[in-house]
Amino acid sequence: MTALLLVFVLIYAAAMLFILFYSVAQAHLLYRFRRYLKRGSVAAPAAPKVWPMVTVQLPLYNEKYVVERLLDAVATLDYPADKLEIQILDDSDDETSALVQQKIQQYPHLQFQHIQRPDRSGYKAGALKYGLEIAKGAYIAIFDADFIPKSYFLKRTVPYFSDAKTGMVQTRWTHLNKTYSLLTRLQAFALDAHFYIEQVGRNSLSAYINFNGTAGVWRKQTILDAGNWQDDTLTEDLDLSYRAQMKGWRFVYLPEVESPAELPPVMSALKSQQFRWTKGGAESAVKHLGNVLRSSAPLHVKYHALAHLLNSSVFVAVLLASLASIPLLWAKVHGLLPEVIFEVAAITLFSFLVISLVYFQANTQEQGSLFRRLGSFILYFPLFLSVSMGLALHNAVAVWEGWSGRKSPFIRTPKFNLEARDNKWQDNFYLNFRMPYTTWAEGLLGLLFLGVAAWSVAQQEYGLLIFHSMLAVGYLLVFYHSFQSYRKV
């Protein structure tokens, strides 16, 4: 075995071992979720005799398509009007502000505050911090612009703060436009696994979970005790979550309380969101991982925190494993590697099995016959895996920027409200992303893996054929949908 070939073997092995490490954590979370299902529902705390003051914060930046829908939904919250303060944290520089002014006139009985900062410093984190300084509420509910909170939201979440140690209550996202397109279906596929298996599993273990940036309620004292909102990462929600929990605050996750939201219907918007989430996750890992590992937290808490903070790094592992697999395949065909290497590598099939079970469990929670749910899973799961692998290059770049400390601005995900706009996304005023160089690289990678798959068939070597075929499909799908949705400038 040559030195160069040994390097490829070590890269492939390290990447697959990391994926295996992550899969073991997922398997444990799946086990805990199954225990949660068997246990059944637990009675919610009793409603307080006197409802406390709550401030609802609505951070906005140029949301003309959805802001009226948001304000109408918040106005229907079932909560005493004299105990409800609604802060519209409006950083907009377009017609959104005028729409806000018009809409709040329709609700004179509610305490709307239209707050406009002198500048956008700190982006969303800065806006939340700015509003917190003048918030009257002991509890802070937060909704992004694309959410439509249920009227019962506050009365289902606020009672959990009867426990003085509870610092945050998070609810489960559901999807307004899940069936709009293949892309929205695949996003729902991924998010349901997080909001069912991961959040429930970690919460049942008393491990660290994260506030998801919206559709949750904070105790104001918790935010302040943990150091307030900070803008040194792109995921201010994950950052504050870890600071608060390491301070000893307890988080509660409520999968039974649904909070509907819109999924990005086009690839460029999805990539913008994915870039922010993956880069911010890497930044938060750099910021917190050392403190978590040095803390006195139980071993299982540290293990799941490690998997949680490094979950975006799975894209780096997928990218490295996929590229390293090409010379390994060539070496196998030419008899340059001992067969035992590939026999040991078969252990990593455990990772695929675990991921399959996690997504099967999460995506068969919906209503309908078992046959229908199983058929849907068989149809969408391979496509989901392919597209996830096709996003590996884009997200690996984001992770690398997060690890290396390269800073970038907070790029908002454009909202569409397609249900009210005749299902047309092409005329969205905010959809003005320029196509990055990585899109062309995704197309080239798709062709590369297509060629590798064809070559392996010609050589009658089928060990990595499924892997390379899924990579080809994933990269080509991502390239095609990206090319359609970016500005050609």
Side-chain angles (χ1 to χ4, degrees):
M1 186 188 304
T2 66
L4 181 59
L5 195 53
L6 178 61
V7 169
F8 286 124
V9 169
L10 293 176
I11 290 174
Y12 185 82
M16 297 306 290
L17 284 174
F18 178 79
I19 294 172
L20 181 63
F21 156 81
Y22 178 74
S23 299
V24 171
Q26 294 293 97
H28 190 211
L29 295 179
L30 177 60
Y31 167 72
R32 296 295 302 195
F33 178 77
R34 295 292 302 173
R35 286 189 58 180
Y36 163 82
L37 291 181
K38 290 180 180 179
R39 184 190 66 184
S41 58
V42 178
K49 294 181 180 179
V50 178
W51 289 99
M53 187 74 185
V54 172
T55 297
V56 176
Q57 291 189 321
L58 310 175
L60 303 177
Y61 175 65
N62 294 353
E63 304 288 5
K64 67 178 183 178
Y65 298 121
V66 295
V67 65
E68 293 174 294
R69 181 182 70 181
L70 170 67
L71 296 178
D72 284 334
V74 171
T76 66
L77 288 171
D78 179 18
Y79 205 77
D82 63 329
K83 297 296 182 67
L84 184 63
E85 173 189 52
I86 305 169
Q87 290 185 340
I88 305 168
L89 306 172
D90 183 13
D91 286 347
S92 302
D93 54 18
D94 69 352
E95 61 202 86
T96 300
S97 300
L99 293 173
V100 169
Q101 286 290 346
Q102 294 171 16
K103 176 58 66 173
I104 62 178
Q105 301 304 317
Q106 299 176 18
Y107 302 105
H109 63 291
L110 294 176
Q111 300 181 54
F112 275 108
Q113 292 184 8
H114 188 191
I115 300 171
Q116 295 176 288
R117 298 189 293 161
D119 59 69
R120 285 188 70 209
S121 59
Y123 303 103
K124 180 180 176 180
L128 294 172
K129 185 176 181 180
Y130 190 90
L132 191 70
E133 293 175 357
I134 56 174
K136 300 176 184 176
Y139 305 99
I140 312 294
I142 300 171
F143 295 103
D144 283 345
D146 54 334
F147 276 72
I148 305 179
K150 300 282 191 179
S151 60
Y152 58 67
F153 179 87
L154 291 176
K155 287 193 173 179
R156 295 281 295 276
T157 54
V158 170
Y160 284 87
F161 290 100
S162 59
D163 183 342
K165 294 182 180 179
T166 297
M168 192 278 296
V169 177
Q170 174 69 53
T171 64
R172 178 171 62 89
W173 295 8
T174 54
H175 320 295
L176 294 169
N177 58 335
K178 176 179 178 178
T179 60
Y180 175 77
S181 68
L182 174 63
L183 189 60
T184 55
R185 285 184 181 274
L186 297 183
Q187 290 175 74
F189 211 87
L191 287 171
D192 287 345
H194 171 67
F195 282 100
Y196 273 123
I197 310 300
E198 294 180 348
Q199 290 287 63
V200 170
R202 292 191 188 108
N203 204 216
S204 71
L205 284 163
S206 297
Y208 298 148
I209 69 169
N210 59 296
F211 169 58
N212 292 109
T214 177
V217 185
W218 283 86
R219 188 187 298 271
K220 183 178 180 180
Q221 180 189 351
T222 302
I223 300 175
L224 297 175
D225 181 56
N228 215 322
W229 296 103
Q230 297 175 9
D231 62 0
D232 54 346
T233 75
L234 291 179
T235 46
E236 70 292 321
D237 45 7
L238 178 62
D239 170 38
L240 180 59
S241 296
Y242 268 78
R243 285 188 279 118
Q245 288 169 108
M246 284 190 286
K247 277 273 192 174
W249 292 99
R250 189 172 71 89
F251 283 12
V252 175
Y253 179 64
L254 303 178
E256 67 276 11
V257 180
E258 300 180 0
S259 294
E262 177 182 286
L263 296 164
V266 295
M267 185 60 76
S268 57
L270 170 62
K271 279 186 167 181
S272 170
Q273 184 184 73
Q274 287 282 306
F275 193 92
R276 188 175 69 249
W277 287 355
T278 51
K279 180 174 180 177
E283 290 173 328
S284 293
V286 171
K287 184 174 181 178
H288 295 297
L289 204 49
N291 292 333
V292 170
L293 295 177
R294 289 189 296 269
S295 72
S296 59
L299 184 60
H300 75 274
V301 172
K302 292 182 180 181
Y303 176 69
H304 280 287
L306 187 65
H308 188 194
L309 288 169
L310 293 179
N311 62 4
S312 61
S313 303
V314 170
F315 291 105
V316 177
V318 169
L319 180 64
L320 292 175
S322 63
L323 293 175
S325 70
I326 298 175
L328 296 187
L329 177 64
W330 177 86
K332 184 179 182 184
V333 168
H334 290 85
L336 300 178
L337 287 175
E339 192 65 29
V340 66
I341 290 179
F342 297 95
E343 293 174 356
V344 172
I347 297 174
T348 58
L349 290 175
F350 173 78
S351 301
F352 176 79
L353 175 62
V354 169
I355 296 300
S356 301
L357 291 174
V358 166
Y359 284 96
F360 177 77
Q361 179 71 74
N363 288 277
T364 54
Q365 292 298 118
E366 61 185 35
Q367 300 298 316
S369 68
L370 177 61
F371 179 79
R372 175 180 172 275
R373 288 178 286 161
L374 183 60
S376 178
F377 178 80
I378 292 172
L379 175 63
Y380 291 112
F381 181 61
L383 280 172
F384 162 74
L385 278 184
S386 295
V387 171
S388 296
M389 291 191 288
L391 286 167
L393 174 63
H394 174 269
N395 288 347
V397 171
V399 172
W400 176 253
E401 288 191 7
W403 284 349
S404 62
R406 180 179 177 182
K407 296 300 179 182
S408 57
F410 185 103
I411 305 298
R412 61 180 288 278
T413 304
K415 316 303 189 303
F416 291 79
N417 193 8
L418 294 174
E419 294 80 4
R421 299 177 57 239
D422 300 323
N423 295 326
K424 294 179 180 179
W425 59 263
Q426 290 86 349
D427 62 346
N428 187 294
F429 178 78
Y430 305 121
L431 195 63
N432 59 355
F433 299 111
R434 299 191 178 203
M435 191 164 73
Y437 71 89
T438 51
T439 297
W440 296 108
E442 287 160 352
L444 292 175
L445 284 171
L447 294 176
L448 171 63
F449 286 111
L450 185 63
V452 170
W455 180 78
S456 65
V457 170
Q459 298 295 322
Q460 297 185 336
E461 175 54 61
Y462 305 112
L464 292 171
L465 179 60
I466 294 177
F467 181 47
H468 289 147
S469 298
M470 293 179 71
L471 284 163
V473 170
Y475 276 116
L476 290 174
L477 279 174
V478 169
F479 171 75
Y480 172 74
H481 287 287
S482 298
F483 193 80
Q484 277 194 322
S485 63
Y486 282 116
R487 285 176 60 197
K488 312 303 186 295
V489 294

